[in-house]
């Protein structure tokens, strides 16, 4: 369970464009994604292909959730 909370982004199956965008914001793994506020992720979302919904969906498949504002 703990390993899933710190998986690298490529293990989520996100697109390369989304991973590169997130990486550009210093986000390389699930732990960092989960610690971000929704408002911060919404700023990132505007530059990703799938957007916040896809990221939330992928985390949801892992039984994880984003931090709430």
């Amino acid at each position: 369970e703990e390993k899933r909370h710190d998986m690298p982004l490529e293990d989520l199956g996100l697109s390369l464009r989304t991973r590169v965008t997130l990486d550009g914001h210093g986000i390389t793994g699930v732990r960092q994604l989960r610690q971000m506020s929704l408002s911060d992720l919404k700023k990132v979302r505007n530059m990703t292909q799938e957007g916040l919904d896809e990221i939330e969906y992928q985390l949801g498949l892992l039984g994880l959730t984003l931090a709430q504002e």
Side-chain angles (χ1 to χ4, degrees):
E1 174 67 25
E2 181 56 31
K3 182 184 185 308
R4 288 172 49 203
H5 284 260
D6 203 24
M7 290 172 60
L9 293 180
E10 53 268 20
D11 290 353
L12 288 180
L14 296 174
S15 75
L16 178 61
R17 178 175 171 180
T18 295
R19 294 200 316 264
V20 167
T21 301
L22 291 172
D23 190 58
H25 285 79
I27 305 160
T28 59
V30 171
R31 183 181 304 275
Q32 291 156 299
L33 263 182
R34 293 181 68 237
Q35 291 171 344
M36 291 185 71
S37 70
L38 287 175
S39 58
D40 286 340
L41 273 174
K42 285 174 185 172
K43 293 173 191 167
V44 173
R45 168 190 63 188
N46 296 329
M47 291 168 274
T48 64
Q49 185 174 25
E50 288 89 353
L52 183 59
D53 290 343
E54 174 68 11
I55 293 168
E56 286 186 300
Y57 173 75
Q58 294 289 340
L59 290 178
L61 291 178
L62 298 169
L64 306 173
T65 56
L66 293 172
Q68 295 299 310
E69 294 181 63

